[in-house]
Amino acid sequence: MAVRPLGYRHQRSTGGRTFLRLEFTDNTGERFDWIVRDVRLLDAGPGEIALPVGPEAPLLYAAVGLTHPNHRFPGRFRGCHPLVVGLHPADGSPLLPNETSLEGTAGAPGTA
């Protein structure tokens, strides 16, 4: 799904783990605040993510997944909770400083 990032933050869970949350809007303008489980971003510190945010930020493609049902906190997904399992800049630019740009590689052999 195409998303426009509004902000992100590192947050500590009640179990003591740190995780990343992304606040974004979709193409309808609806606002979301979901946990990000993209393996490239899990260990990145707050200053390491090159992710422009705000209403004019470039579009990202978000791969979305659902957790197993947790009926203690029911919601619009029948007890499952959505999370972002992958973030991909629409223009192919890197999310982290040590990544190389993917611009121009779509359809090239060996690329997804």
Side-chain angles (χ1 to χ4, degrees):
M1 79 190 264
V3 303
R4 190 161 312 274
L6 300 176
Y8 61 94
R9 67 188 182 284
H10 284 81
Q11 187 172 328
R12 190 168 298 280
S13 71
T14 54
R17 293 189 321 201
T18 300
F19 56 91
L20 181 68
R21 292 193 72 95
L22 175 68
E23 195 172 339
F24 62 91
T25 59
D26 66 6
N27 61 349
T28 68
E30 188 173 355
R31 195 176 190 130
F32 300 91
D33 183 359
W34 290 353
I35 292 173
V36 176
R37 297 296 303 166
D38 186 324
V39 295
R40 296 170 301 155
L41 304 177
L42 291 179
D43 294 328
E48 296 178 51
I49 301 171
L51 181 63
V53 295
E56 301 301 317
L59 282 178
L60 297 175
Y61 292 115
V64 177
L66 293 172
T67 64
H68 287 287
N70 176 346
H71 298 292
R72 294 178 308 172
F73 304 107
R76 71 193 267 193
F77 300 103
R78 296 183 182 212
C80 299
H81 296 279
L83 39 99
V84 176
V85 295
L87 281 174
H88 311 280
D91 65 359
S93 62
L95 285 176
L96 298 171
N98 61 346
E99 286 184 324
T100 57
S101 174
L102 297 176
E103 188 172 358
T105 62
T111 61

